Amino acid sequence: MKLMIASDIHGSAYYCKKMLERYQEEGAERLLLLGDLLYHGPRNDLPREYAPKEVISMLNGAREELLCVRGNCDAEVDQMVLQFPILSESMLLYLDGHLVFATHGHVHNEKNLPPLKAGDVLLHGHTHVQAMEDRGDYVYLNPGSVSIPKNGNENSYMIYENGRFIIKNMESSEIRNFVLA
């Protein structure tokens, strides 16, 4: 299975459109969104072309393709306008024999780990900082942010296919990759 993974759109119509274009070009089977879809939150500047209503329309148009977990900026009122589930705090995926605990990262993260076994993967957004780290007991992955990257990162998303995770910038150029052992 080929997945595209993205996080932290924060209401940017510009980057939501680019993300959906990349999704089509990548030919992934599903797009996993790690939360913070519509609003920028009090700690972030407004992203480029901040237009939550346009983002709603674009995401609803792709609803059959989307899997999503709730971010700290996502609210129950957002679920009222989005036509796909967004309120789950986490999602478990089984990819090539590995459990992947997917979440936004504001509750479960490296400082507050969910129950993980050796070889499991913690996948989250929230920090807006890309990560691909083998921590020995688990693997930590973060696709960075589609619209508001931090710590000098580029706007980015992640692809998963055949045991390999790849972080790419919004022009589809590979930034880094990680192969599950």
Side-chain angles (χ1 to χ4, degrees):
M1 170 177 266
K2 184 174 185 178
L3 293 174
M4 182 170 161
I5 304 160
S7 190
D8 298 283
I9 301 166
H10 287 291
S12 170
Y14 177 84
Y15 283 109
C16 185
K17 181 178 178 189
K18 284 187 80 107
M19 176 192 71
L20 291 172
E21 288 170 355
R22 296 296 89 79
Y23 175 69
Q24 291 300 317
E25 290 170 10
E26 292 283 357
E29 295 172 54
R30 292 291 180 123
L31 174 55
L32 171 57
L33 299 176
L34 299 176
D36 285 359
L37 305 179
L38 302 179
Y39 300 112
H40 67 299
R43 297 181 300 170
N44 298 310
D45 292 331
L46 287 174
R48 183 172 178 179
E49 293 183 25
Y50 181 68
K53 287 183 180 178
E54 290 179 39
V55 172
I56 291 166
S57 178
M58 285 186 269
L59 293 178
N60 281 342
R63 68 186 166 270
E64 293 89 7
E65 308 293 320
L66 304 178
L67 302 171
C68 190
V69 295
R70 181 181 195 162
N72 58 303
C73 293
D74 298 324
E76 290 180 19
V77 70
D78 300 339
Q79 185 64 82
M80 295 171 70
V81 296
L82 292 168
Q83 299 169 355
F84 55 95
I86 68 161
L87 296 178
S88 178
E89 294 294 330
S90 62
M91 178 182 305
L92 297 177
L93 304 167
Y94 291 91
L95 302 175
D96 295 311
H98 293 270
L99 174 97
V100 177
F101 187 94
T103 189
H104 180 63
H106 63 294
V107 175
H108 287 104
N109 51 56
E110 289 201 287
K111 293 180 181 173
N112 184 32
L113 290 172
L116 298 173
K117 287 185 174 182
D120 289 348
V121 177
L122 173 62
L123 171 65
H124 72 71
H126 183 60
T127 65
H128 301 218
V129 178
Q130 302 159 5
M132 294 185 144
E133 306 291 336
D134 186 340
R135 300 292 194 215
D137 293 337
Y138 65 95
V139 173
Y140 168 54
L141 302 173
N142 189 318
S145 174
V146 169
S147 68
I148 309 172
K150 295 183 179 177
N151 289 8
N153 284 191
E154 296 181 67
N155 303 70
S156 58
Y157 64 93
M158 185 181 285
I159 292 292
Y160 171 81
E161 186 173 28
N162 298 323
R164 183 175 181 211
F165 290 90
I166 305 167
I167 295 177
K168 294 185 174 186
N169 67 20
M170 298 310 287
E171 286 71 45
S172 300
S173 296
E174 183 174 326
I175 297 171
R176 57 203 304 195
N177 70 75
F178 184 92
V179 177
L180 290 174

